[in-house]
């Protein structure tokens, strides 16, 4: 890890193909800043991305990275971290990727509390497949596949996370760049699974959950007396359906990451040229 | 074969059938006898018929036969289930004092030995030991020194304290003494002991042991019969070598975790059965196209769908050979014996890393749940070699950087194999994606790059065919006109069948094939035989199909995979060239 890393070192030479104005630009910049700020460099960082406009983020960043199949980024990240706890692992994707096809993995990744961060670019729509309802879309949000709206209430990912035993839950807004970078940084620094839901507006397919909407609605928790270590307070804030918050909603400062509990310390990539010492004992067990 | 004895204990699931059978099998193995076990079981935890069968001889035994000499029947149904295998010299041990067993009808002239198992167990300290009383009775019937049981009782009950071990020894002796005193007859059986030292293990255990020996450090899985034993075996054991087993939330997570660990540089594996393979198939494509070394073990059971979870089948060959959308370079290995389960697993990891591809390790239920004796040297750990392929580090990475200093993780090398840098390697940072990508891992739809990368990935298979020995194993009469071919667990039964066939004057050449893809070319062998028979546990003959395919005369091919459809004029040109004998038009050049 070199100390002179700048956030631009995390930029790849591939130009993003996101629509001009897409919230994902700001989200990505904040992620890169946070990584640099926390003393990481591209060679010790592993970014796993989902599928969607949001999932392209891994392509536009420079680090060790894997862009996987739809909805399965979290388990990949868990595997990377377990096999090499010395790496900084960040998983990123969209609300469809994380809360629809990948919802099961989300719950279990939260429960598992591996020391990594998970950034979800929540635009309340499917961007890449051109504007269908996502699990965070409003009940009456009209799209080509849901002309009358999805007809079911949106999921509340922060409530899901809290219920599943999350140790870090935060909410951020991509256009508020300084705050956003700080929040992601806190997620990285958290000892355990750092979950950040980022409002990252889709300027092409979502004309309801716009920059203006979030700007007008969002309340910075730093400007309230919210105590993030107080789970009851966190629960109340998370369940308030008419409010959008920015900042750390909940953090368990006593969190012990999974790999620490399981005693996984060293990278698993160093193995001998032959069977490991003592392997013959494995045979003798069968006497 | 007077020395070849078939023994079984049967009852209801939950009666301790498995552990009792295993105690006896271990005792035989410790006494220097070869053992081959099999299980009849239903997919339920309590109730339902279940049996554990042991075939034992001083010489090696490789299969099960249709004959039962000694049967411990804990339920009447056990007798009915095995009626066809009993003969006039069979001995059935049962507890005639139990109400359900009072009117037992014994088939033919078989001997029914009533032993008050439960009462004797109570005398020894608890009814729960009635199975061990039966083992003691079986020792007497077979003239097998009861002392040989003691060590396996120690092994089974040692954790529970010496008192329990002693009570069980006492229970066994009660069974032996009862038979000795009440039945003053010779049963005609004799289990001779030898000085040989054997180990007794099943196919799943052999795979788990092969994985650890072969350097696997990360295993993620989701329980499914009959693959769970691989996971259970590795749990706790791989930790001792710096690794970890993770029980994932489902198979999708399992293969993705394993993929993540593999990308981080760990030798990594997942094991499942057919339904799990279905779920893993999307990620299987990603593993291949991201060029990640991964071993995926499919312990086959009866399908389709949930099929018959506890029954044998070899129905997934097509799935492992062709499964996944698009075209996926892969290796498919299928161990044919339990010892091969160990060695093929070791080989699977080497192939995966050398060629940076997924490897299917295809086993089956018959291998998974069967235990067999081996001399310990069969698993000689000094023979294990580990080849990690083209891994680069700080010192040699420069050779693989492009003019801008970017690591070419998908460099289209002549042999199809790119360099590999574990995350953490300075200057190695790179992107990998399931999207088609260029040599840097960046997404592309450029037709030339697309063709280059497809060709590069397929070239691995060609390189492997040159470098590796994808051979078959051969038994029987090499000059025979009849050729029998099989894959997977059929080898044992077929080898023994050769003996029966020989007795009847049939000369047979038998080829057992452990490599499904790439596989040995059997054209010559097939063409030189008068009759060719392919033996496999499935309805449609999936392996027979691939062999027929292999020996067929080849058609000319025109292929295009640039991502662009055929155009009429281009096609006409290609066809003309092909007809003119300009063969080798394996692909239409990218425009
Ligand atoms: C198995 C599978 N099903 C469907 C798709 C098609 N698909 C690609 S992106 C996407 C939705 C993405 O939505 P979201 O995660 O919200 O990301 P966004 O594009 O809005 O950033 C879908 C359904 C796919 N790639 N794989
Ligand atoms: S479609 Fe929406 S989410 Fe996708 S790049 Fe455009 S603005 Fe962003």
């Amino acid at each position: 890890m070199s100390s002179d890393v700048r956030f631009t070192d995390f930029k790849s030479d591939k130009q993003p193909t996101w629509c001009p104005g897409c919230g994902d630009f700001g989200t990505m910049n904040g992620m890169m800043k946070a990584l640099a700020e926390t003393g990481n460099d591209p060679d010790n960082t592993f970014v796993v991305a989902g599928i969607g406009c949001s999932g392209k983020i891994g392509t536009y960043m420079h680090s060790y990275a894997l862009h996987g199949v739809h909805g399965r980024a979290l388990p990949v990240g868990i595997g990377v971290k377990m096999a090499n706890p010395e790496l900084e692992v960040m998983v990123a994707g969209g609300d469809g990727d994380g809360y629809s096809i990948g919802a099961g993995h989300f719950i279990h990744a939260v429960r598992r509390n591996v020391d990594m961060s998970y950034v979800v670019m929540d635009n309340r729509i499917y961007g890449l497949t051109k504007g269908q309802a996502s699990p965070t879309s409003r009940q009456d949000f009209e799209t080509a596949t849901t002309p009358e709206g999805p007809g079911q209430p949106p999921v509340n990912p922060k409530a899901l996370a809290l219920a599943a035993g999350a140790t870090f839950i935060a909410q951020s807004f991509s256009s508020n760049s300084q705050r956003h970078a700080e929040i992601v940084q806190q997620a990285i620094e958290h000892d355990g699974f750092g979950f950040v839901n980022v409002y990252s507006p889709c300027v092409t397919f979502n004309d309801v959950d716009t920059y203006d909407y979030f700007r007008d609605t969002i309340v910075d928790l730093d400007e309230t007396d919210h105590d993030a270590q107080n789970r009851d307070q966190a629960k109340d804030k998370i369940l308030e359906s008419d409010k959008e918050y920015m900042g750390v909603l909940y953090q368990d400062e006593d969190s012990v990451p999974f790999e620490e509990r399981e005693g996984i310390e060293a990278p698993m990539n160093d193995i001998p040229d032959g069977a490991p010492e003592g392997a013959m004992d494995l045979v003798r067990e069968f006497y | 074969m007077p020395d070849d004895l078939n023994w079984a204990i049967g009852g209801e699931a939950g009666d301790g059938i498995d552990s009792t059978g295993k105690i006896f099998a271990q005792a035989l193995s410790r006494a220097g006898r070869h053992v081959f076990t099999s299980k009849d079981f239903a997919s339920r935890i309590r109730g339902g018929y279940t049996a554990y069968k042991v075939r034992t001889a001083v010489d090696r035994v490789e299969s099960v036969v249709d004959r039962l000499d000694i049967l411990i029947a804990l339920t009447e149904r056990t007798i009915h289930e095995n009626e066809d295998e009993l003969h006039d010299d069979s001995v059935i041990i049962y507890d005639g004092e139990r109400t359900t067993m009072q009117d037992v009808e014994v088939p033919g002239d078989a001997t029914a030995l009533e032993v008050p198992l439960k009462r004797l167990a109570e005398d020894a300290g608890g009814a729960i030991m009635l199975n061990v009383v039966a083992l003691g009775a079986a020792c007497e019937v077979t003239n097998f020194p009861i002392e040989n049981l003691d060590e396996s009782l120690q092994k089974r009950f040692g954790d529970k304290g010496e008192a329990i071990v002693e009570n069980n020894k006492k229970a066994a002796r009660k069974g032996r003494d009862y038979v000795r005193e009440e039945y003053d007859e010779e049963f005609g059986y004799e289990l001779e002991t030898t000085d040989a030292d054997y180990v007794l293990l099943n196919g799943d255990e052999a795979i788990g042991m092969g994985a650890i020996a072969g350097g696997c450090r990360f295993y993620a899985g989701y329980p499914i019969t009959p693959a769970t034993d691989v996971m259970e075996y590795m749990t706790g054991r791989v930790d001792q070598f710096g690794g970890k087993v993770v029980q994932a939330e489902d198979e999708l997570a399992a293969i993705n975790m394993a993929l993540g660990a593999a990308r981080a540089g760990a030798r990594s594996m997942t094991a499942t059965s057919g339904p799990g393979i279905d779920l893993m198939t999307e990620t299987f494509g990603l593993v291949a196209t991201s060029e990640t070394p991964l071993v995926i073990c499919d312990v086959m059971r009866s399908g389709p769908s949930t099929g018959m979870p506890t029954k044998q089948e070899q129905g997934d060959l097509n799935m492992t050979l062709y499964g996944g959308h698009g075209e996926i370079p892969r290796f498919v290995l299928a161990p044919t014996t339990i010892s091969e389960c160990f060695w093929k697993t070791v080989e699977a990891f080497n192939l995966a890393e050398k060629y940076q591809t997924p490897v299917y390790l295809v086993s089956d239920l018959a291998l998974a749940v069967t235990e067999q004796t081996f001399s310990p040297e069969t698993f000689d750990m000094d023979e294990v070699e580990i080849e990690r392929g083209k891994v680069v580090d700080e010192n040699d990475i420069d050779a693989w950087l492009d003019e801008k200093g970017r690591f070419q993780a998908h460099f289209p090398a002549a042999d199809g194999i790119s360099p590999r840098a574990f995350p953490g390697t300075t200057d190695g940072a790179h992107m990998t994606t399931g999207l088609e990508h260029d040599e840097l891992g960046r997404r592309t739809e450029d037709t030339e790059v697309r063709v280059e990368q497809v060709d590069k990935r397929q070239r691995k298979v060609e390189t492997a065919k040159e470098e590796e020995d994808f051979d078959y194993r051969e038994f029987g009469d090499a000059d025979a006109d009849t050729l029998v071919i099989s894959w997977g667990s059929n080898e044992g039964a077929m080898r023994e069948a050769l003996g029966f066939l020989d007795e009847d004057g049939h000369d047979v050449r038998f080829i057992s094939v452990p490599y499904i893809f790439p596989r040995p070319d059997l054209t010559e062998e097939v063409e030189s035989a008068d009759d060719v028979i392919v033996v496999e546990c499935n309805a449609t003959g999936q392996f027979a199909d691939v062999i027929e395919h292999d020996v067929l005369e080849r058609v000319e091919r025109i292929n295009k995979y640039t991502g662009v459809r055929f155009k009429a004029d281009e096609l006409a040109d290609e066809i003309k060239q092909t007809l003119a004998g300009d063969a080798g038009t394996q692909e239409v050049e990218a425009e």
Side-chain angles (χ1 to χ4, degrees):
Chain A
M1 258 184 259
S2 50
S3 54
D4 53 353
V5 174
R6 300 168 33 147
F7 89 93
T8 46
D9 292 340
F10 283 98
K11 241 190 173 105
S12 82
D13 49 12
K14 194 100 175 162
Q15 278 309 307
T17 54
W18 287 319
C19 309
C22 175
D24 294 351
F25 285 100
T27 306
M28 179 172 75
N29 282 336
M31 285 164 56
M32 296 192 296
K33 275 197 189 118
L35 282 166
E37 237 3 86
T38 46
N40 291 293
D41 68 37
D43 286 333
N44 84 319
T45 303
F46 203 112
V47 175
V48 188
I51 296 286
C53 296
S54 45
K56 291 181 178 173
I57 205 151
T59 320
Y60 309 141
M61 288 174 64
H62 175 61
S63 71
Y64 283 93
L66 185 108
H67 180 212
V69 294
H70 196 27
R72 319 292 164 206
L74 279 170
V76 175
I78 290 169
V80 171
K81 185 69 183 182
M82 302 262 243
N84 189 347
E86 290 171 5
L87 298 173
E88 185 60 50
V89 177
M90 184 180 272
V91 178
D95 40 286
D97 191 78
Y99 310 144
S100 196
I101 190 167
H105 304 310
F106 174 57
I107 306 279
H108 295 287
V110 167
R111 285 176 59 219
R112 210 166 255 126
N113 201 35
V114 169
D115 188 12
M116 57 198 229
S117 47
Y118 182 38
V119 178
V120 180
M121 281 152 265
D122 185 359
N123 54 13
R124 300 184 171 172
I125 190 122
Y126 285 7
L128 194 64
T129 49
K130 299 197 163 54
Q132 300 81 21
S134 100
T136 50
S137 296
R138 293 159 193 252
Q139 187 157 353
D140 56 359
F141 183 70
E142 295 167 16
T143 75
T145 52
T146 54
E148 323 241 304
Q152 52 199 339
V155 299
N156 181 336
K158 289 146 285 188
L160 279 180
L162 193 74
T167 58
F168 184 98
I169 304 171
Q171 169 77 64
S172 166
F173 178 31
S174 72
S175 108
N176 215 324
S177 62
Q178 190 48 39
R179 267 303 264 148
H180 166 57
E182 274 166 32
I183 292 165
V184 177
Q185 185 176 338
Q186 278 172 280
I188 294 173
E189 282 165 350
H190 174 68
D191 286 334
F193 190 74
F195 165 51
V196 188
N197 192 67
V198 189
Y199 292 133
S200 192
C202 171
V203 293
T204 306
F205 297 113
N206 193 332
D207 53 7
V208 179
D209 302 292
T210 58
Y211 283 103
D212 282 346
Y213 163 74
F214 286 114
R215 230 172 257 137
D216 293 347
T217 326
I218 210 152
V219 174
D220 192 337
L221 289 168
D222 273 6
E223 282 152 27
T224 69
D225 57 2
H226 180 64
D227 174 7
Q229 286 174 63
N230 184 323
R231 203 165 181 270
D232 286 329
Q233 277 192 29
K235 183 189 77 191
D236 290 344
K237 289 253 167 2
I238 285 171
L239 292 179
E240 272 180 79
S241 54
D242 54 342
K243 284 262 174 53
E244 313 287 4
Y245 288 105
M246 177 165 60
V248 179
L249 284 151
Y250 179 65
Q251 179 166 24
D252 173 3
E253 298 204 327
D254 298 325
S255 155
V256 181
F258 180 81
E259 61 276 26
E260 208 171 302
R261 262 183 289 138
E262 297 285 315
I264 303 173
E265 283 157 12
M268 297 176 187
N269 56 25
D270 194 16
I271 57 166
D273 290 340
E277 190 118 2
M280 214 52 210
D281 290 344
L282 294 173
V283 183
R284 284 187 203 103
E285 266 186 64
F286 290 108
Y287 268 120
Chain B
M1 271 184 280
D3 181 55
D4 176 354
L5 183 103
N6 287 277
W7 176 100
I9 179 165
E12 289 206 355
D15 278 347
I17 302 297
D18 259 21
S19 61
T20 313
K22 180 130 185 185
I23 289 168
F24 194 58
Q26 266 168 346
L28 292 161
S29 150
R30 297 287 314 180
R33 296 182 61 84
H34 273 297
V35 168
F36 189 95
T37 76
S38 60
K39 291 179 194 175
D40 294 346
F41 62 115
S43 185
R44 52 197 289 181
I45 306 305
R46 285 213 150 260
Y49 165 73
T50 170
Y52 186 106
K53 297 186 168 173
V54 178
R55 185 175 176 201
T56 176
V58 169
D59 295 332
R60 266 195 88 63
V61 271
E62 306 272 2
S63 68
V64 289
V65 285
D66 261 352
R67 196 184 84 241
L68 204 46
D69 305 311
I70 315 288
L71 174 64
I72 297 172
L74 298 185
T75 57
E76 199 172 343
R77 181 169 170 198
T78 304
I79 299 172
H80 302 313
E81 290 279 352
N82 294 284
E83 213 155 342
D84 294 347
E85 296 185 11
L86 294 168
H87 52 89
D88 290 349
D89 295 327
S90 298
V91 179
I92 302 166
I93 297 168
Y94 72 102
D95 187 345
E97 288 182 10
R98 298 176 79 175
T99 48
T100 51
M101 296 290 279
Q102 270 163 7
D103 307 313
V104 160
E105 278 177 44
V106 174
D109 283 339
T111 307
L113 274 198
E114 266 191 68
V115 183
L117 303 174
K118 185 151 175 251
R119 181 155 55 80
L120 293 172
E122 280 163 352
D123 290 351
I128 193 161
M129 296 183 293
L130 68 91
N131 294 359
V132 178
V133 175
L135 288 181
C139 285
E140 180 62 19
V141 172
T142 54
N143 280 308
F144 183 61
I146 202 158
E147 292 69 32
N148 290 301
L149 263 188
D150 293 346
E151 261 178 88
S152 19
L153 289 171
Q154 179 74 40
K155 192 164 172 152
R156 175 72 180 82
F157 299 112
D159 290 349
K160 300 191 169 158
E162 273 317 296
I164 304 255
V165 176
E166 284 311 311
N167 280 352
N168 275 283
K169 288 184 187 169
K170 210 195 300 171
R173 281 158 181 78
K174 291 231 178 243
R176 175 195 62 182
D177 296 346
Y178 187 89
V179 175
R180 196 173 274 176
E181 286 152 22
E182 300 292 321
Y183 301 95
D184 183 25
E185 43 184 296
E186 281 300 317
F187 299 98
Y189 294 105
E190 170 108 41
L191 290 179
E192 182 195 329
T193 61
T194 80
D195 291 336
D197 258 339
Y198 296 129
V199 291
L200 180 72
L201 70 168
N202 71 27
D204 274 357
E205 291 166 333
I207 287 173
M209 189 166 79
I212 297 176
C216 175
R217 292 293 172 270
F218 187 82
Y219 177 100
Y222 189 74
I224 184 169
T225 303
T228 311
D229 279 357
V230 176
M231 184 168 176
E232 279 186 15
Y233 176 80
M234 290 185 76
T235 303
R237 288 190 180 81
V238 73
D239 305 40
Q240 295 160 23
F241 300 93
K244 191 72 203 165
V245 171
V246 177
Q247 181 173 327
E249 56 270 25
D250 53 35
E251 285 84 355
L252 302 150
I255 188 169
N256 278 282
M257 284 180 190
L259 160 68
R263 283 222 77 81
R267 283 199 158 192
S268 173
M269 173 166 96
T270 183
T272 184
S273 191
I277 294 290
D278 290 349
L279 290 180
M280 290 181 178
T281 302
E282 186 196 20
T283 301
F284 177 74
L286 170 64
V287 174
T289 197
S290 66
E291 307 195 61
T292 308
L294 189 66
V295 176
I296 302 158
C297 173
D298 177 11
V299 187
M300 295 179 289
R301 63 187 212 182
S302 297
S305 191
T306 359
M308 297 191 289
T310 62
K311 301 295 172 195
Q312 161 74 350
E313 197 163 289
Q314 296 176 294
D316 301 353
L317 182 137
N318 287 343
M319 174 78 181
T320 51
L321 193 49
Y322 307 115
H325 67 280
E327 295 174 304
I328 303 178
R330 68 188 83 198
F331 295 100
V332 185
L333 309 188
T336 57
T337 61
I338 290 166
S339 57
E340 279 297 296
C341 284
F342 176 88
W343 289 107
K344 284 283 168 283
T345 305
V346 172
E347 189 177 342
F349 280 101
N350 284 337
L351 289 172
E353 289 210 310
K354 274 169 81 178
Y355 299 97
Q356 299 173 27
T357 56
V359 178
Y360 269 128
L361 182 69
V362 184
S363 175
D364 56 46
L365 181 132
L367 286 173
V369 304
T370 299
E371 289 149 307
Q372 197 177 356
T373 36
F374 295 92
S375 64
E377 304 83 65
T378 313
F379 308 101
D380 182 358
M381 295 293 172
D382 291 337
E383 295 280 309
V384 172
E385 282 174 22
I386 291 184
E387 294 172 79
R388 305 214 66 183
K390 286 192 195 168
V391 177
V392 298
D393 61 19
E394 277 73 8
N395 305 316
D396 51 2
I397 198 164
D398 284 356
W400 299 99
L401 304 180
D402 72 0
E403 70 289 351
K404 288 188 179 163
R406 300 171 301 193
F407 180 59
Q408 303 176 89
H410 299 280
F411 182 80
D415 59 1
I417 306 157
S418 311
R420 203 172 152 224
F422 298 153
T425 307
T426 306
D427 294 336
H430 66 275
M431 167 75 189
T432 304
T433 166
L435 294 165
E436 190 56 271
H437 43 259
D438 64 12
E439 73 285 356
L440 297 175
R442 300 177 307 181
R443 174 198 184 153
T444 183
E445 287 175 2
D446 181 302
T447 51
E448 265 176 57
V449 179
R450 155 73 176 174
V451 168
E452 185 177 63
Q453 288 291 323
V454 171
D455 288 348
K456 169 213 139 64
R457 293 192 292 265
Q458 293 300 338
R459 268 204 307 279
K460 300 174 182 197
V461 176
E462 298 314 313
T463 306
K465 281 184 190 163
E466 279 160 29
E467 295 210 346
E468 312 291 329
D469 197 10
F470 297 116
D471 213 349
Y472 56 76
R473 291 145 64 84
E474 174 158 12
F475 308 92
D477 176 1
D479 301 320
D481 294 331
T482 304
L483 171 63
V484 175
I485 304 171
S486 84
W487 65 287
S489 61
N490 312 308
E491 181 182 304
M494 187 55 214
R495 281 175 65 178
E496 197 167 331
L498 287 175
F500 295 121
L501 289 163
D502 188 47
E503 280 168 25
D504 285 350
H506 292 287
D507 292 339
V508 175
R509 177 183 193 188
F510 169 45
I511 285 177
S512 177
V513 187
Y515 298 100
I516 308 300
F517 190 83
R519 57 185 165 269
D521 181 358
L522 295 177
T523 310
E524 220 173 278
E525 290 79 351
V526 167
E527 283 177 349
S528 65
D530 289 342
D531 295 295
V532 183
I533 303 166
V534 178
V535 174
E536 50 193 318
C537 282
N538 57 38
T540 56
Q542 297 179 26
F543 196 51
D545 283 347
V546 299
I547 292 190
E548 275 182 356
H549 164 101
D550 288 353
V551 299
L552 270 181
E553 191 113 340
R554 291 280 171 156
V555 296
E556 298 282 357
R557 293 159 192 240
I558 294 176
N559 305 86
K560 182 172 182 178
Y561 43 95
T562 56
V564 180
R565 64 192 287 175
F566 280 116
K567 291 180 197 127
D569 50 352
E570 163 197 71
L571 254 186
D573 280 351
E574 283 293 326
I575 290 171
K576 277 187 268 173
Q577 279 179 38
T578 307
L579 292 176
D582 264 352
T585 46
Q586 288 288 308
E587 95 234 12
V588 175
E589 283 303 315
E591 64 262 75

